[in-house]
Amino acid sequence: MNHVVGVTGVTRVHGAGQAAVHALRGVTLGVAAGELVAVMGPSGSGKSTLLNIVGGLDRPTSGQVFIEGANLAMLSTPQVAALRRRAVGYVFQDFNLIPSLTAAENVMLPRELDGLRTALARKEALAELASVGLAPDVAGRFPDELSGGQRQRVAIARALVGRRRLLLADEPTGALDSSTGDDVMQVLRERADAGAAVLLVTHEPRYAAYADRVVFLRDGEIADGADEPLEQAR
Ligand SMILES: Nc1ncnc2c1ncn2[C@@H]1O[C@H](COP(=O)(O)OP(=O)(O)O)[C@@H](O)[C@H]1O
Ligand SMILES: [Mg+2]
């Protein structure tokens, strides 16, 4: 299978000695283009750690991470940062929008960091906002002038802009009512159907039902839904 992202035998230990916490213990998982995989599990089971490692925000203690065929261990920190910026989009539960920027400016920001001219970044941002179902008049509003669902759509647009091929969403519906949460899941599902690889953390079976498959984490191990060992995650 052609994996956009894969982790093989990933372990992550926080701290050392008596204080060591094994957040992940030998996790192997791949997400293919077009696939939406949900990660479920109790609080503290390692879900966020897994997402951070998959996205190159955290490094494993042992095991390997591949993004689009690149083994992150073989890359320098700036190379990982560049790959992450180009290929990976994040959606967090608390949106992480910049309050002093409008919706459009929030979505433009990653593309301006990519080096795009402002006019082009704006054009892409407006198209991305429309594609997540936000009307044009929303573009000029600031985050505190938007509803929770609108804010989360802006965050998704920002994560997806520039055709990022891997989308990581850590409880993106956590702060939303269930009908707004369904709208957000619909957007994630459409993005997967359009070819993105999506890895979603959720507590809610209702939202996990949008996934192609569900992986259950318990105490840092995949308790159910594990992949066969990956020969090479690509
Ligand atoms: N930076 C950190 N330092 C120490 N322990 C951490 C750190 N991040 C996570 N942990 C611990 O690792 C385990 C997994 O955490 P996390 O991945 O956040 O779980 P989840 O997202 O499933 O709630 C927990 O026991 C947590 O306390
Ligand atoms: Mg978490």
Side-chain angles (χ1 to χ4, degrees), residues 12 14-15 19 21-24 41-50 52 58 170-171 201 203 217:
R12 178 67 167 102
H14 294 291
V21 177
H22 287 73
L24 294 174
S43 182
S45 59
K47 304 181 299 295
S48 294
T49 301
L50 176 61
N52 290 340
D58 189 10
D170 198 348
E171 302 190 44
V201 168
H203 276 111
L217 271 185

Side-chain angles (χ1 to χ4, degrees), residues 73-221:
M74 310 299 275
L75 304 179
S76 67
T77 301
Q79 285 174 320
V80 171
L83 177 63
R84 193 172 67 219
R85 214 183 52 226
R86 204 188 65 236
V88 184
Y90 273 93
V91 186
F92 300 93
Q93 177 174 344
D94 54 4
F95 316 128
N96 278 354
L97 296 177
I98 298 173
S100 58
L101 299 181
T102 65
E105 287 165 349
N106 267 280
V107 179
M108 288 165 65
L109 189 59
R111 296 299 278 152
E112 294 186 297
L113 293 174
D114 285 346
L116 226 63
R117 284 182 297 114
T118 302
L120 191 52
R122 173 168 289 278
K123 194 173 161 214
E124 279 191 8
L126 295 177
E128 205 66 64
L129 286 168
S131 82
V132 298
L134 288 173
D137 62 301
V138 169
R141 292 197 208 144
F142 292 91
D144 68 0
E145 299 170 324
L146 303 174
S147 70
Q150 287 173 325
R151 265 180 246 160
Q152 192 59 301
R153 283 169 190 255
V154 174
I156 289 175
R158 182 185 56 184
L160 289 169
V161 74
R163 300 183 194 282
R164 281 160 172 76
R165 292 169 301 281
L166 173 61
L167 180 60
L168 304 173
D170 198 348
E171 302 190 44
T173 54
L176 305 176
D177 67 59
S178 61
S179 122
T180 312
D182 277 326
D183 290 345
V184 165
M185 285 310 307
Q186 202 70 53
V187 171
L188 296 181
R189 182 68 256 175
E190 282 165 13
R191 287 318 170 108
D193 291 343
V198 184
L199 190 58
L200 161 81
V201 168
T202 183
H203 276 111
E204 300 279 338
R206 172 193 184 92
Y207 300 129
Y210 287 84
D212 297 298
R213 71 200 161 90
V214 182
V215 168
F216 291 91
L217 271 185
R218 181 172 293 276
D219 293 335
E221 287 181 294

Side-chain angles (χ1 to χ4, degrees), residues 48-77:
S48 294
T49 301
L50 176 61
L51 240 65
N52 290 340
I53 285 178
V54 162
L57 284 179
D58 189 10
R59 292 205 177 212
T61 306
S62 62
Q64 300 193 309
V65 185
F66 297 87
I67 297 180
E68 303 198 301
N71 183 342
L72 296 196
M74 310 299 275
L75 304 179
S76 67
T77 301

